[in-house]
């Protein structure tokens, strides 16, 4: 009497048919994803800019700690995100207090340097009324010399008098610059209280940067604008100690000031400069001064050459594997090749969907995972051959082969995933990219080995030709029982 055991789900023909439909649907979906969403490429394949940024100490910060580097890295990440650069890599070089920034697709490294290297220390300053009067006096004196006295001497042609006047003009210009330099006084209102910054266009069609303060910043700005409206003075807007704008405040705000915490920075901006300023302000002020010590461009030609060589190597290896599987394993080898193609399509679709930035080490991880996918099938096929040599029926050999091989497949893949997890946690940059692609490939290969190979192997037993599964089998009278 036969023991009543629970049958594996793959023995159910209806379940296998449903699984085949699901696999076919996934393959069609994968092809569609690959067609409409290109896989993002890293710096070594796509080309772009690579900057090395040196973080410097200050009088207050004598030693740079890992936390200081992390703070600078966070600000740089915010600025890079504002640039709209995808697949960027920002990682610290702790032993040198440096940060490496890779920007794929950026062909203007100077623009990236301006955005990443600028400290963006924003300050709002009040105009001193007394010093403003002095500036006006100096400006009037200089104007009189330039447009009244100098033309008269030029007509007379008195060279000695002209030389003396030029000396006097230079002196007045210096006095004017000195007076203007101390015209604006610092206040408490700085970029520390800035909540948001955005590029825009005002009613006159000029490029401006709209800013929004937090609660405390809004109060400080209201008080500062109130004083300016009452005194008829200007607000000085300074970025890194350079005056970029000096707007006036309408008298209507003399009672309350400009409330709400919103303001616009105007100046001689164009689309590019206003966007860069907004990015610097929104990204935040760097907690420590930085210096760009290296700025190099990686050409796309190297990337194309690397892609071509990688494709050739991958295709060559794949073709050799496909041929070996068919020659050595016969019909199961063909099944493994079909499962391998399905695996490759699903893996590439996953790269595009997540998305995973593909680099040369990432390609290496993908190719290695192909070998892992074949390895699972090899275990199943060898177990199946062993069962066939013991005289079992074809269906029973396939069923037993899967049952006995699954634990080995699981153990080998789990150990590989553990290694990938360690590389992701402890590694950085290209090492992490290699681990991610390999780990994802191992997960997908487990699914394809159990589902695709399993379903196709069970379906292939209907052929009932044992020599297609294992050559040189001893003859047996045993009936095929399903």
């Amino acid at each position: 009497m036969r023991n009543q055991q629970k049958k594996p789900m793959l023995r159910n023909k209806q379940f296998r048919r449903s699984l085949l439909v699901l696999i076919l649907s996934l393959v069609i979906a994968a092809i569609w994803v690959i067609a409409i969403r290109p896989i993002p490429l890293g710096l070594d394949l796509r080309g772009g800019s690579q900057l090395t940024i040196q973080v410097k100490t200050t009088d207050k910060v004598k030693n740079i700690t890992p936390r200081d580097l992390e703070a600078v890295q966070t600000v740089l990440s915010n600025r890079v995100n504002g640039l709209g650069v995808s697949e960027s890599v920002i990682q610290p070089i702790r032993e040198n207090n440096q940060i490496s920034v890779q920007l794929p697709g950026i062909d203007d490294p100077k623009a990236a340097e301006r955005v990443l290297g600028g400290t963006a220390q924003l300050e709002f300053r009040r105009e001193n009324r007394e010093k403003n009067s002095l500036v006006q006096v100096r400006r009037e004196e200089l104007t009189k010399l330039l447009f009244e006295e100098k033309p008269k001497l030029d007509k007379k042609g008195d060279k000695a008098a002209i030389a003396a006047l030029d000396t006097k003009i230079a002196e007045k210009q210096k006095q004017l610059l000195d007076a203007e330099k101390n015209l604006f006084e610092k206040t408490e209102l700085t970029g520390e209280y800035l909540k948001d910054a955005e590029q825009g266009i005002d009613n006159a069609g000029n490029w401006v940067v709209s800013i929004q303060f937090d609660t405390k910043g809004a109060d400080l700005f209201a008080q500062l604008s109130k004083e300016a409206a009452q005194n008829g003075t200007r607000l000085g807007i300074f970025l890194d100690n350079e005056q970029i704008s000096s707007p006036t405040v309408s008298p209507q705000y003399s009672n309350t000031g400009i409330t709400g915490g919103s303001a616009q920075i105007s100046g001689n901006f164009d689309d590019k400069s206003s966007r860069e300023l907004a990015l610097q302000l929104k990204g935040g002020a760097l907690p420590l001064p930085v210096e760009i010590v290296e700025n190099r461009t990686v050409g796309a030609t190297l990337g194309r050459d690397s892609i071509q060589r990688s494709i050739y190597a991958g295709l060559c290896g794949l073709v050799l594997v496909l041929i070996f599987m068919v020659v050595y394993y016969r019909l199961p080898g063909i099944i493994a090749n079909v499962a391998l193609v399905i695996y490759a399509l699903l893996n590439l679709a996953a790269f595009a969907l997540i998305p995973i930035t593909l680099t040369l080490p990432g390609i290496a991880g993908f190719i290695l995972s192909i070998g892992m996918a074949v390895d699972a099938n090899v275990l199943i096929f060898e177990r199946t051959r062993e069962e066939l040599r013991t005289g079992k029926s074809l269906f029973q050999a396939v069923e037993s082969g899967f049952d006995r091989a699954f634990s080995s497949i699981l153990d080998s893949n789990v150990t590989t995933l553990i290694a990938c997890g360690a590389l992701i946690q402890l590694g950085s940059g290209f090492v992490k990219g290699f681990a991610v692609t390999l780990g994802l490939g191992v997960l997908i290969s487990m699914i394809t080995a159990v589902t695709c190979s399993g379903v196709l192997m069970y379906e292939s037993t209907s052929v009932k030709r044992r020599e297609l599964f294992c050559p040189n089998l001893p003859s047996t009278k045993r009936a095929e029982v399903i």
Side-chain angles (χ1 to χ4, degrees), residues 75-322:
V75 174
L76 294 178
S77 297
N78 292 335
R79 295 184 181 182
V80 169
N81 292 337
L83 279 172
V85 181
S86 57
E87 301 91 51
S88 60
V89 178
I90 304 173
Q91 57 188 17
I93 308 174
R94 290 188 173 88
E95 56 270 20
N96 298 325
N97 293 331
Q98 294 177 338
I99 294 178
S100 174
V101 180
Q102 298 178 6
L103 305 173
I106 294 295
D107 54 2
D108 185 4
K110 292 298 181 184
E113 184 173 333
R114 287 194 300 270
V115 172
L116 297 179
T119 56
Q121 297 286 354
L122 181 68
E123 294 178 294
F124 284 79
R125 302 180 183 179
R126 65 167 57 89
E127 185 180 34
N128 187 297
R129 293 183 66 182
E130 296 180 358
K131 292 180 180 179
N132 183 41
S133 301
L134 179 61
V135 168
Q136 296 299 326
V137 171
R138 294 285 184 255
R139 187 173 288 125
E140 290 174 2
E141 291 175 347
L142 183 60
T143 301
K144 184 177 180 180
L145 292 175
L146 288 173
F147 297 103
E148 293 182 15
E149 296 186 21
K150 188 171 176 59
K152 294 177 181 179
L153 291 178
D154 287 339
K155 288 182 180 180
K156 293 180 179 180
D158 189 342
K159 294 182 179 181
I162 292 175
L165 182 61
D166 288 339
T167 302
K168 189 176 182 179
I169 289 174
E171 183 181 348
K172 291 296 182 183
Q173 288 175 332
K174 183 178 181 301
Q175 291 175 353
L176 176 60
L177 290 175
D178 290 339
E180 289 179 337
K181 189 178 296 183
N182 301 314
L183 180 59
F184 292 93
E185 300 172 343
K186 290 188 177 184
T187 67
E188 294 182 52
L189 185 58
T190 64
E192 177 184 354
Y193 306 106
L194 190 65
K195 189 165 73 172
D196 195 12
E198 188 176 39
Q199 175 196 40
I201 300 177
D202 62 11
N203 296 330
N206 299 316
W207 287 103
V208 296
V209 177
S210 300
I211 56 177
Q212 179 72 41
F213 295 103
D214 61 15
T215 303
K216 184 175 181 180
D219 294 338
L220 291 173
F221 183 67
Q223 181 61 33
L224 187 61
S225 57
K226 177 181 177 181
E227 293 176 7
Q230 290 176 344
N231 300 328
T233 54
R234 297 171 297 167
L235 290 178
I237 304 176
F238 287 75
L239 184 69
D240 296 336
N241 290 319
E242 294 290 333
Q243 183 178 337
I244 59 174
S245 183
S246 55
T248 57
V249 181
S250 174
Q252 64 179 328
Y253 297 108
S254 58
N255 292 327
T256 61
I258 301 175
T259 57
S262 298
Q264 281 186 344
I265 302 176
S266 58
N268 296 321
F269 293 132
D270 55 17
D271 181 16
K272 187 175 182 179
S273 60
S274 61
R275 181 169 178 265
E276 288 182 0
L277 175 58
L279 288 177
Q280 286 179 310
L281 298 177
K282 190 173 183 179
L286 289 165
L288 292 170
V290 298
E291 179 184 358
I292 310 293
V293 295
E294 183 184 18
N295 189 345
R296 64 187 180 92
T297 302
V298 179
T301 302
L302 175 62
R304 286 195 298 268
D305 182 64
S306 300
I307 293 174
Q308 290 177 352
R309 289 176 180 270
S310 300
I311 290 175
Y312 294 154
L315 288 177
C316 181
L318 184 60
V319 169
L320 291 175
V321 169
L322 294 178

Side-chain angles (χ1 to χ4, degrees), residues 2-51:
R2 181 177 297 177
N3 294 330
Q4 295 296 322
Q5 296 179 350
K6 186 177 180 179
K7 297 181 180 179
M9 296 186 69
L10 287 178
R11 293 198 65 175
N12 187 308
K13 185 172 292 188
Q14 186 62 38
F15 176 75
R16 294 202 302 268
R17 295 290 190 272
S18 301
L19 205 55
L20 278 174
V21 173
L22 175 62
I23 293 170
L24 182 61
S25 301
L26 289 175
V27 169
I28 294 173
I31 295 173
W32 179 75
V33 168
I34 295 171
I36 65 169
R37 294 191 63 170
I39 299 174
L41 302 179
L43 184 68
D44 54 346
L45 300 180
R46 184 180 174 186
S49 299
Q50 179 169 332
L51 292 82

